[in-house]
């Protein structure tokens, strides 16, 4: 999958957690996606997501001081509202829906998240940042805060790994 698809996938996994927490599910595991690229396996984030599940984008003040701003979710049919709507309609259609068993099964959750991304007709992410964050390779002790990648960069999701619980 390309980097835009990977961003959609990462957000899909995180939004499941957000909706389940809203349903008062406590102590949910936090998952990281294990990626593969050119026979290298690593953990990395494609998005910068804060504790309130807002996507943060890098900005500069007029004085060239970097800061993070929230990606607005106001336009229908665009990222991330398109993912939020699909997850809500498919997995939380009523006040009684609670797919906690799906979330607690990383294999099923990854398959469903990939299915959600594949079901979106047009991935609409304006000005995606072509970089990976918090990159940690499994075959070495190399850990990088970020790496810049090409527009044609391809990733393969391998697994969801539980990194901690709330």
């Amino acid at each position: 999958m390309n980097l835009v698809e990977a961003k959609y996938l990462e957000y899909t996994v995180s939004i499941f957690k957000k909706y389940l927490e809203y349903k008062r599910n406590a102590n949910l595991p936090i998952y990281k996606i294990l990626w593969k690229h050119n026979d290298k396996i690593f953990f990395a984030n494609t998005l910068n997501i804060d504790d309130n599940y807002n996507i943060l984008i890098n900005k500069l003040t007029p004085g060239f001081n970097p800061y993070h701003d929230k990606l607005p979710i106001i336009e229908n049919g665009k990222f991330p509202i398109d993912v939020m709507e699909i997850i809500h309609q498919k997995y939380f259609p009523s006040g009684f829906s609670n797919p906690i068993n799906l979330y607690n099964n990383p294999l099923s959750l990854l398959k469903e998240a990939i299915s959600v991304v594949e079901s979106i007709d047009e991935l609409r992410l304006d000005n995606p940042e072509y970089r990976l964050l918090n990159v940690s390779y499994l075959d070495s002790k190399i850990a990088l805060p970020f790496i810049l990648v090409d527009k044609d960069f391809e990733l393969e999701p391998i697994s969801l790994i539980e990194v901690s619980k709330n």
Side-chain angles (χ1 to χ4, degrees):
M1 71 180 29
N2 65 37
L3 190 58
V4 171
E5 292 167 325
K7 288 175 185 280
Y8 267 79
L9 180 64
E10 183 176 345
Y11 193 70
T12 300
V13 171
S14 71
I15 207 68
F16 263 104
K17 186 173 184 299
K18 175 184 179 177
Y19 285 156
L20 286 167
E21 287 174 341
Y22 182 76
K23 292 281 194 175
R24 303 202 192 300
N25 292 287
N27 299 318
L28 295 172
I30 297 171
Y31 296 118
K32 286 195 73 123
I33 301 173
L34 185 63
W35 299 103
K36 181 179 179 183
H37 172 74
N38 288 344
D39 296 327
K40 295 287 185 183
I41 298 176
F42 57 91
F43 290 105
N45 296 100
T46 60
L47 297 168
N48 189 4
I49 301 174
D50 70 12
D51 292 339
N52 295 318
Y53 302 96
N54 297 305
I55 299 170
L56 303 176
I57 52 177
N58 297 320
K59 298 256 181 148
L60 287 175
T61 66
F64 301 108
N65 293 318
Y67 71 98
H68 292 102
D69 197 9
K70 294 178 190 173
L71 181 70
I73 58 170
I74 56 173
E75 195 170 340
N76 286 343
K78 278 193 166 182
F79 184 77
I81 197 73
D82 52 356
V83 173
M84 296 168 83
E85 288 174 346
I86 289 171
I87 298 298
H88 187 268
Q89 290 170 3
K90 186 171 181 179
Y91 303 99
F92 298 90
S94 72
F96 301 105
S97 301
N98 191 350
I100 187 70
N101 292 332
L102 171 62
Y103 187 83
N104 283 328
N105 183 319
L107 175 60
S108 296
L109 179 60
L110 181 61
K111 285 182 177 182
E112 278 299 306
I114 291 170
S115 173
V116 166
V117 173
E118 290 174 345
S119 75
I120 299 173
D121 293 331
E122 182 182 357
L123 303 179
R124 296 179 54 195
L125 179 59
D126 294 336
N127 303 316
E129 296 176 320
Y130 291 98
R131 47 92 179 121
L132 299 175
L133 300 169
N134 307 315
V135 181
S136 178
Y137 290 92
L138 288 185
D139 64 348
S140 70
K141 293 186 180 194
I142 296 175
L144 303 168
F146 69 92
I147 58 172
L148 298 178
V149 297
D150 293 331
K151 198 174 191 175
D152 300 340
F153 190 77
E154 291 285 324
L155 292 163
E156 180 184 348
I158 300 296
S159 183
L160 288 180
I161 305 296
E162 182 178 329
V163 292
S164 69
K165 290 195 179 212
N166 280 349

